Amino acid sequence: MSHNDCIFCKIIEGKIPSSKVFENENVLAFKDLHPQASKHFLFVHKSHTRNINEMVLANSSHIAEVFSAIQQFSSQEKLDQSGFRIVTNLGPDAGQTVFHTHFHLLGGEPLKGFGR
Ligand code: AMP
Ligand code: ZN
């Protein structure tokens, strides 16, 4: 179900533009507008939920669908050889700004943080 005031639902519906990199029946991935790494994509399920915890409660199989898309895309693009990171933000301490569940895929260069 889409939400009128949700920017990622509008991207999914094609009402606002995005640079798509992957799409199947359930999942869409597109370039982040403000990349934090040389490769930075956002993976979203086409069903609207506000965050990962809502997604688990609404339909936990959607997580597997998103990660299946990440598996297909990252192996097609050989990102699994150089490596990548998946991040999802929930709420203010994490700095979540878009309230449609999304998974950041970051890679294309050595990533800082998490002890590096
Ligand atoms: P978060 O802080 O986890 O909620 O991440 C939201 C992300 O969405 C940020 O990295 C933004 O750069 C990105 N973003 C916001 N609007 C768009 C858009 N229209 N197209 C692509 N990425 C966007
Ligand atoms: Zn949405």
Side-chain angles (χ1 to χ4, degrees), residues 64-104:
E65 290 170 357
V66 172
F67 275 83
S68 179
I70 290 169
Q71 184 277 325
Q72 286 174 52
F73 175 77
S74 64
S75 56
Q76 272 163 26
E77 299 297 314
K78 303 200 186 311
L79 274 164
D80 53 351
Q81 295 179 11
S82 49
F84 61 88
R85 179 178 291 157
I86 302 296
V87 173
T88 192
N89 293 316
L90 186 159
D93 280 357
Q96 184 179 4
T97 58
V98 176
F99 293 88
H100 181 120
T101 312
H102 54 279
F103 298 83
H104 298 259

Side-chain angles (χ1 to χ4, degrees), residues 7-8 11 16-18 30-34 40 42 89 95-98 102 104:
I7 189 167
F8 287 177
I11 285 176
I16 65 168
S18 70
F30 50 92
K31 291 184 182 173
D32 196 293
L33 264 188
H34 305 289
H40 186 175
L42 300 173
N89 293 316
Q96 184 179 4
T97 58
V98 176
H102 54 279
H104 298 259

